[in-house]
Amino acid sequence: MITGHYKTRYTADEGIWSTWPKQAGLVAALVALAVLPLIANNYVLLLAGQIAIFIIAVVGLNVLVGYTGLMSLGHGAFFAIGAYTTVAVHHEFPNTFPLITLLISIAVAAAFGVLFGLPSLRVKGLYLAVATLSANFIVLFLIRQEWLAEWTGGVSGTETPNAVLFGYELRSQRAQYYFIVPIMLIMLLFAQNLFRTRFGRALIAIRDKDYSAEILGISLYSHKLKSFAISAAYCGAAGCLWAYFFPAILPEDFGLNMSITLVVCLVAGGMGRTLGPVFGTVLILLVPEILKIVFANVTDGDANAQMLFSPMRDIAFGVLIIGFLIFEPMGLVSIWDRFWRFVDRWPFSK
Amino acid sequence: MGQFVQYLINGVISGGILALIALGIVSVFKATKVVNFAHGHLILFGAYFYFTFAVMLPEAAFMPDWVRSWEPEWLVAYRADAPSFSPKAAIASWISDVPRILLGLAGALAANALLALLIERLVMRPLLGQSTFAMILSTVGLIWVLEGSAGLIWTAEAEQVPSLGPNFPIRFELFGANLFLFSGSLFNLLIALALFAALMLVLRYTRSGVAIRATAEDQSTAYAMGINVPRVFSSAWLIASTTGAVAGAILATRTGLSPAIGLFGLSVLAVVLMGGLDSFAGVLLASMLIGVLQAMTQWKLGGEYAEIVPYVAVLIVILIRPHGFLGQEEIERI
Amino acid sequence: MLSVTHASLAFGGIRALDDVSFTAETGHITAIIGPNGAGKTSLFNIISGFYQPQSGSIHFDGTDITGMRADKRAAMGMARTFQNIALFRGMTVLDNIKLGGHTRLRSGFWSSGFYYGAARREEAALRADIERDVIDFLELDHIRKAPVAALPYGLQKRVELARALAMRPKVLLLDEPVAGMNREETEDMARFILDIQDRWETTILLVEHDMGMVMDISNKVIVLNFGRKIADGTPDVVQRQPDVIEAYLGTSEDREVTV
């Protein structure tokens, strides 16, 4: 029997931070995020920025895969579209305000999302997985083309601009961090709100039983396409921030490997849950770093052994994804749920 | 016109190999309803195993000389008067390679079969009854495990592997143009088509073939009828891994040993969806079509464009015929 | 309120519906009965828009809806339940019922995402509305936060009815609402159906095998056999008709019929 938390109004019952331990946890998390740059070194901040950007993309993937139940193995393409849009905007208008660029990247990615989403009106599951994977290959192929090279840099990639906010150029990892993390938090909150209101509920309904959703007046066509658009928009935003964050990009950065990494983050964290992408991304992006440290210690920096690092990382990823599917199919979030149930029932929990 | 026929021939040859790879994906799908995204990497292992047993092992110190290079007296005599680069010389050098080719094939088949059984047992079996999504993702996870493992085991530089058949250029004239192909490619095509046909016959006329088809129709009913469904699953993976080993050996002789073989498997997945996941005939058709289309694209636009042909084609086909050329549409009952 | 005119539907060679016509009067309960395979669910499927009849037309609330998509029909005020419960199994009872309110809400994407203004007010109003009119009414308050998959069959059927009711439908299509229920659950369901008719004057269309219930609560009964309509009238009239009796006794099925 769950104890405590009695509410007297429906609005209180609809809230997200409904209990005081949760509110305390939220405040603690925000404070930790705010002070991290003051105590962390550049290596940690580089990693943190990368994780924050990836979280945005995985939240986007979650909209499509986790909530709408449509499979995609091609979200790296939207990431690429966001990043290259940013480069192209700055190529044409060097002094564009970063948030404007962000919005343009989001809009362009969303438009491509609708285009990619067209097959979803005819097919589901596996067919859609292959269709999106194909679309990913095609987008990268186009980016490599000579006739787009003025904006994309073609096969050899391109340097990317830095964000300039009110005359202040965001060069250091620390400055970038304070630019990226608030955007991530807003986008996370937006997704959370989306799925406790009408529109998001409709997407979940389509995932669970599409014909039943239709009978409730939910148009499958428009909702599937909108889901693709939102999902792509998140990845486009991530791509834009990626372009600002790193000094250069290559078409290969956004290939199948990235698309699958996004899916792995989602599965590890937990699909169809707001915090799933957060946990999953943190875990998956930390694994190679931990491996790297362990490896360096074990091998004492032996160059021959270093060659084995990349295959080892691949195997670790593969084993993680299969392990999660077999042993914890709901992802890390289900561990998190167990923790909060424990807190809620304390001191009667065991 | 001559050029066209030349590229048509090239296309049919690569179409045959596509079909051989597709065969493995379709058999596993038919029996287990799992679409194996990692089939390309199973083939990659087949290629590396073939390399291990046909090149690395024969060169080991403990192996007798005749495995490395078989030179009976009659062969020496036969070779003696053959000019270099003649068909006769090519056949002679192939005969001296036969022991290690056979060793390579036997080793690749056995090792790949073992690998597939392991995968079926350790990864696919525990996920039985899970969603399509989990199935897809677990094979995607396999991609990484297999690719990483291959990187750990075979660090050697890509080397030449012996061609399965005697390899000499064939020149002939058609429509007034000089055409050209390698006998080795022709041999590969014949192997691919023979395997394809043999499997179709097995599925149609043998007891275990009927068991596989019954399981494909309805797993639980098949179970109730006394069919050993887990064994059907294992045999489907065996079919996929062994045909994959042959495909791997062929690809290794054609394009050399490289991790790119794994990626090639993904483009075959696109071909399979075009043909229709559960239709051998549809898949054969799609393979030939894509093979030829790729060859034509290579001719007119260049190799870079040829690479994305399967992906563009599958998108178009899915939009027009969601279940491929000959695939069966699943009807949802309300 | 709802009328089907000369509707025919065939799957390949099988004629599921053959020239079926009938009218459901506003505020009445119309029952469709017939042996298994008579075409009852097919009839529901063409009314709600999953299948298109090859010929004939369907009128709803004065509009020809024959070619209309299912979600548009729902938006016009048509709700239905399914023979094999089609709830969203991963969600709670409350979320399932809230989905019934989808067509009644207007809030857009942006205000939803920021949970601000219209979206916030609407969600609160919807919640209050559902609590009052649906959850209290169908006596579901003790399970509103329970995941649907964990509920017993009879309750799941009731949640499905609740979800349909949250749409405030003009026409309610119930596909075997009491199939597989025991006597007590059946009586509860019959009472709910009568209450719905009474309280909102909803037009109700019912497919059911439980003859006792059908004859008790219906204003009109339509009998289908092999896709054809063989009888149409009040319960009293229909159960005396010889071909109806024949259709039921003539089936190979071992069902007890109280005609």
Side-chain angles (χ1 to χ4, degrees), chain A residues 7 10-11 13-15 186 189-191 193-194 196-199 201-202 204-223 230, chain C residues 48 50 69-71 74 78 80 82 85-91 95 98-99 102-103 105-107 109-110 112-115 123-124 126-128 131 145 163 167:
Chain A
K7 291 146 200 142
Y10 293 134
T11 38
D13 197 34
E14 299 278 320
I186 292 170
L189 186 66
F190 192 89
N193 281 333
L194 214 49
R196 59 178 175 144
T197 46
R198 174 175 183 262
F199 178 78
R201 266 200 310 267
I204 302 175
I206 290 173
R207 174 192 71 189
D208 281 5
K209 202 152 269 171
D210 49 4
Y211 64 89
S212 198
E214 217 176 349
I215 215 71
L216 298 174
I218 296 163
S219 158
L220 298 187
Y221 290 95
S222 85
H223 280 82
I230 296 167
Chain C
S48 54
F50 284 126
R69 281 208 318 258
D71 56 289
M78 184 187 288
R80 91 171 260 194
F82 293 86
I85 303 170
L87 287 167
F88 307 111
R89 294 175 61 83
M91 297 186 204
D95 278 338
K98 274 183 179 173
L99 267 160
H102 183 85
T103 51
L105 301 188
R106 285 285 154 264
S107 60
F109 167 73
W110 292 107
S112 294
F114 291 113
Y115 204 60
E123 289 292 326
L126 174 70
R127 177 75 194 269
E131 289 287 345
K145 290 281 175 78
R163 187 181 67 183
M167 295 171 72

Side-chain angles (χ1 to χ4, degrees), chain A residues 7-337:
Chain A
K7 291 146 200 142
T8 49
R9 285 176 310 133
Y10 293 134
T11 38
D13 197 34
E14 299 278 320
I16 354 177
W17 314 103
S18 45
T19 67
W20 70 262
K22 278 191 182 168
Q23 286 161 0
L26 173 70
V27 171
L30 288 179
V31 169
L33 278 179
V35 299
L36 179 73
L38 306 177
I39 49 174
N41 60 21
N42 273 343
Y43 167 70
V44 171
L45 286 177
L46 180 74
L47 202 55
Q50 207 177 329
I51 288 175
I53 294 172
F54 252 80
I55 286 176
I56 296 176
V58 179
V59 168
L61 187 67
N62 197 17
V63 170
L64 187 75
V65 179
Y67 288 109
T68 322
L70 296 171
M71 185 61 193
S72 168
L73 290 177
H75 264 51
F78 301 129
F79 218 117
I81 288 165
Y84 278 101
T85 303
T86 302
V87 173
V89 166
H90 278 270
H91 177 79
E92 295 294 323
F93 311 100
N95 297 319
T96 315
F97 188 62
L99 291 180
I100 303 286
T101 319
L102 183 68
L103 288 179
I104 296 173
S105 301
I106 285 176
V108 174
F112 272 91
V114 173
L115 197 65
F116 275 39
L118 289 178
S120 76
L121 304 180
R122 306 276 328 241
V123 294
K124 296 191 244 193
L126 159 82
Y127 289 87
L128 195 55
V130 174
T132 47
L133 181 135
S134 304
N136 195 346
F137 279 114
I138 294 168
V139 166
L140 290 194
F141 170 79
L142 289 176
I143 288 173
R144 282 196 299 263
Q145 287 312 296
E146 205 52 49
W147 50 275
L148 281 171
E150 188 189 344
W151 299 279
T152 64
V155 190
S156 46
T158 173
E159 287 182 4
T160 57
N162 275 336
V164 180
L165 280 174
F166 309 110
Y168 177 70
E169 188 170 357
L170 304 181
R171 269 212 202 86
S172 71
Q173 252 81 0
R174 188 161 291 117
Q176 301 252 26
Y177 176 94
Y178 282 118
F179 177 57
I180 293 166
V181 169
I183 293 176
M184 175 201 88
L185 289 175
I186 292 170
M187 295 190 79
L188 199 57
L189 186 66
F190 192 89
Q192 159 72 48
N193 281 333
L194 214 49
F195 289 98
R196 59 178 175 144
T197 46
R198 174 175 183 262
F199 178 78
R201 266 200 310 267
L203 295 188
I204 302 175
I206 290 173
R207 174 192 71 189
D208 281 5
K209 202 152 269 171
D210 49 4
Y211 64 89
S212 198
E214 217 176 349
I215 215 71
L216 298 174
I218 296 163
S219 158
L220 298 187
Y221 290 95
S222 85
H223 280 82
K224 281 181 178 176
L225 291 184
K226 280 178 189 162
S227 175
F228 255 100
I230 296 167
S231 178
Y234 270 82
C235 285
C240 167
L241 297 176
W242 185 271
Y244 282 134
F245 193 65
F246 290 103
I249 51 175
L250 274 171
E252 285 80 27
D253 295 344
F254 309 102
L256 186 65
N257 259 343
M258 175 178 262
S259 294
I260 297 179
T261 307
L262 293 173
V263 176
V264 176
C265 290
L266 184 57
V267 171
M271 287 186 292
R273 297 288 303 275
T274 314
L275 286 179
V278 179
F279 296 142
T281 309
V282 171
L283 174 77
I284 295 299
L285 293 198
L286 282 184
V287 164
E289 303 305 319
I290 293 167
L291 262 182
K292 214 182 272 173
I293 293 165
V294 172
F295 226 74
N297 278 331
V298 173
T299 59
D300 253 352
D302 176 12
N304 266 335
Q306 289 297 324
M307 290 218 342
L308 300 180
F309 169 70
S310 149
M312 292 287 276
R313 187 196 51 200
D314 286 350
I315 295 175
F317 272 171
V319 170
L320 264 177
I321 182 171
I322 295 171
F324 266 105
L325 288 169
I326 295 178
F327 299 111
E328 194 71 81
M330 311 299 284
L332 290 170
V333 146
S334 70
I335 298 172
W336 172 255
D337 287 344

Side-chain angles (χ1 to χ4, degrees), chain B residues 26-42:
Chain B
V26 177
S27 344
V28 167
F29 175 77
K30 265 193 171 277
T32 68
K33 293 278 174 283
V34 170
V35 176
N36 186 9
F37 275 64
H39 190 63
H41 289 78
L42 214 51

